[in-house]
Amino acid sequence: EHTLHSAALRGPRQLTVYRPPGAAGPLPGCVLADGQSALGFAQVLEPAILAGDVPPVVLVGVHNASGPARRWPDRRGQEYLPGHSRPRFNAHLDFVTGEVIPWAASHCGAADGPWISAGFSNGGAWAIAAAQRRPDVFTAVAAFSAGVVPRQITGRARAARVRHYLAAGTLEAGF
């Protein structure tokens, strides 16, 4: 658990970092929206890494901005959905790409690149939008039950050949 003071967001933000045991050297990184869930993802990821089914990766969970005492404005929606508040979305993306990733590279043994953006629900929408806007940073997306899906992949993301891995449950209406 870490607290990173952000210039882009003008305040502190919590991070949860998982690095697999025994992995040496810089590892590829995955930024996970709703970082409060990083522990749950790590509990599934670690056995797959240790079994050799998945390559080792540093998971950096960026906690969302929502707080139980503050229902409005919806900071999580503003940061994760580009159409909700473009300035707040851009500040959050700048925080992740300009502050979190360099910090993880210098403090957690993550490589400078490539990085994966990941999330679920609106966090999945953020993962897609982040890779669409910054294919120079994110070479792949893992979006689970994305709350809002873009109508098409941007030309920049298509040209960069950003891989998109999308998943949803069979009982989720509209997927």
Side-chain angles (χ1 to χ4, degrees), residues 36-172:
Q36 300 89 316
S37 64
L39 178 60
F41 277 90
Q43 290 172 341
V44 173
L45 187 61
E46 185 169 290
I49 291 171
L50 295 176
D53 297 331
V54 175
V57 62
V58 173
L59 182 63
V60 181
V62 179
H63 291 221
N64 67 48
S66 67
R70 186 175 184 173
R71 300 180 70 89
W72 188 258
D74 176 11
R75 290 285 190 212
R76 181 177 180 268
Q78 289 177 341
E79 291 181 353
Y80 288 180
L81 304 173
H84 199 62
S85 170
R86 189 162 306 279
R88 188 73 184 181
F89 175 87
N90 289 338
H92 182 264
L93 184 58
D94 289 345
F95 167 61
V96 170
T97 59
E99 298 176 48
V100 172
I101 289 175
W103 175 85
S106 66
H107 290 84
C108 303
D112 290 332
W115 280 82
I116 299 166
S117 59
F120 57 90
S121 188
N122 283 350
W126 174 83
I128 295 167
Q132 297 249 348
R133 286 160 178 76
R134 294 299 307 272
D136 57 313
V137 175
F138 300 109
T139 59
V141 173
F144 307 99
S145 304
V148 178
V149 180
R151 296 188 190 277
Q152 63 184 16
I153 297 174
T154 63
R156 285 180 54 205
R158 190 176 296 111
R161 302 179 59 89
V162 174
R163 294 179 179 261
H164 288 69
Y165 301 92
L166 310 174
T170 58
L171 299 178
E172 293 180 273

